[in-house]
Amino acid sequence: MFTTATLTGSKPEQYAQLLAQARALVHGESDRIANAANLSALIYHALPQLNWAGFYFFDGTELVVGPFQGLPACVRIPLHKGVCGAAASSRQTRRVDDVDAFPGHIACDSASRSELVVPLLHDGELVGVLDIDSPVTSRFDADDQTGLEAIAQVFIESLT
């Protein structure tokens, strides 16, 4: 059985601890649904001030909701819509302090105020995105981005 440890220290130290937990969760498992489900739960329960944490997978045309924690989500997101679509189409992480100011933002949960979306690339191909939402404006900073990008990489490495 896996149990999460309480994160301690500075934010980078906390993300190092979370990264170690993420690696332990996916160790020896290559099923993307199982790993996405466990990583979503890990992130959602370990990080404060989140209202959604999960994955969208690219089906060749659009993003389709995968495993997540939080309220029900938008099922399909076109690559040209919202923060998730922008991160997927640009292949670059998007950190948005105020989602209401983001052109074309899709409000799946009206409580969301800030968002961080990491594109998931495997051998240069888009697999999907890791999407984290918060009800707090400006919740995510550079440390969050670096930490969540590292966790996204753990997910990608689990696919091989």
Side-chain angles (χ1 to χ4, degrees):
M1 173 180 253
F2 185 89
T3 58
T4 60
T6 302
L7 303 177
T8 60
S10 68
K11 194 183 269 192
E13 291 169 333
Q14 290 178 14
Y15 272 108
Q17 295 161 33
L18 192 60
L19 184 61
Q21 292 177 28
R23 284 189 178 119
L25 267 179
V26 304
H27 180 75
E29 181 56 63
S30 61
D31 185 87
R32 77 178 188 165
I33 301 300
N35 287 337
N38 275 332
L39 290 174
S40 296
L42 177 69
I43 293 165
Y44 186 81
H45 291 286
L47 298 179
Q49 300 177 314
L50 300 184
N51 62 326
W52 204 90
F55 291 78
Y56 278 90
F57 293 122
F58 183 56
D59 72 356
T61 304
E62 59 193 349
L63 297 170
V64 181
V65 71
F68 68 90
Q69 298 281 307
L71 293 177
C74 301
V75 175
R76 295 181 180 275
I77 298 176
L79 292 188
H80 63 281
K81 294 267 185 163
V83 182
C84 288
S89 62
S90 70
R91 312 302 204 258
Q92 294 181 350
T93 299
R94 298 295 177 130
R95 190 174 75 223
V96 179
D97 289 335
D98 179 0
V99 295
D100 291 332
F102 189 88
H105 173 253
I106 302 168
C108 297
D109 180 348
S110 63
S112 292
R113 292 290 167 256
S114 59
E115 188 168 5
L116 185 120
V117 181
V118 180
L120 304 168
L121 304 173
H122 186 258
D123 294 332
E125 297 295 319
L126 181 65
V127 173
V129 299
L130 170 59
D131 181 21
I132 314 294
D133 293 2
S134 173
V136 177
T137 303
S138 301
R139 159 62 181 86
F140 305 107
D141 62 16
D143 289 333
D144 294 299
Q145 181 172 337
T146 299
L148 289 164
E149 286 173 340
I151 292 169
Q153 187 58 39
V154 165
F155 175 77
I156 291 300
E157 290 168 1
S158 77
L159 300 177
T160 57

